[in-house]
Amino acid sequence: VILSSRSISKGNQVAQSLIETVGEECAERLEVVELDAASDESVVKASQQIKANHNELFGIVNNAGIAFGDPTDIMNTNYGGPRRVNNALSKLLRRPGGRIVNIASASGPNWVSRLANKELKSKLAQPWTIKGGIEELDQIASSVELTSQTYGISKAFLNAYTCLHAMSEPDLIINSVTPGFIATDMGAALGATNPVEMGVRCPLFALFD
């Protein structure tokens, strides 16, 4: 298991916590890599490290996400992050059957449902109709008006990207999931009380079923 973290020290803390919880046998199966999904340079550096140590990956889980701060940063992390990571690492996935799981949110379809722009609403609700594929979706994402609802906007684009990516690489199994309103650092700040263990269920189902 390759655990990525923006902060290598925090990643190592989490790894140590897992080892203490699961047991020492976990230590040999856990690798920590510094990776900031919002940074091209960081993703390239991390992917080079991973490729040097591994000939094949079983799956990728894109869990990095932010809900607060500059709207451009939110879009860059929540939509651009999975794009960078998948571009850098998907070639290592076993074929056929390698998995990609993108962590989305109900805020994505909720935002789409309220869209006044009928053309954009249609494209995001039915991404298979976007004739230019992922490249056109990137262009739309770069020009969409970012508001206080940018978290939902970013997750709507992530869902559309997931669909288009699955269509473009049919030998991979690619899904997005909504884990629920979970008390992660981000969710707890918004009032979430569901335990983190509950939020793991959907991603693991998509990764291993």
Side-chain angles (χ1 to χ4, degrees), residues 174-201:
I174 303 174
N175 289 285
S176 63
V177 302
T178 296
F181 196 32
I182 306 299
T184 58
D185 289 347
M186 183 174 69
L190 295 169
T193 57
N194 290 314
V196 172
E197 290 77 9
M198 183 182 295
V200 175
R201 293 175 185 173

Side-chain angles (χ1 to χ4, degrees), residues 57-138:
L57 297 178
F58 170 78
I60 298 170
V61 179
N62 287 299
N63 188 47
I66 56 175
F68 312 107
D70 185 279
T72 302
D73 291 338
I74 295 172
M75 195 71 174
N76 180 43
T77 300
N78 298 355
Y79 174 69
R83 292 280 289 109
R84 288 185 187 88
V85 172
N86 292 339
N87 283 346
L89 293 174
S90 63
K91 293 296 184 291
L92 280 182
L93 287 172
R94 66 171 61 172
R95 295 169 190 262
R99 308 289 181 106
I100 294 177
V101 182
N102 298 321
I103 307 300
S105 167
S107 62
N110 286 343
W111 178 77
V112 172
S113 70
R114 298 190 298 269
L115 256 178
N117 184 326
K118 291 184 179 180
E119 180 182 2
L120 179 58
K121 183 175 184 177
S122 176
K123 286 184 175 181
L124 292 178
Q126 304 175 84
W128 54 89
T129 65
I130 301 176
K131 295 180 179 179
I134 295 174
E135 184 177 338
E136 181 180 342
L137 184 68
D138 284 342

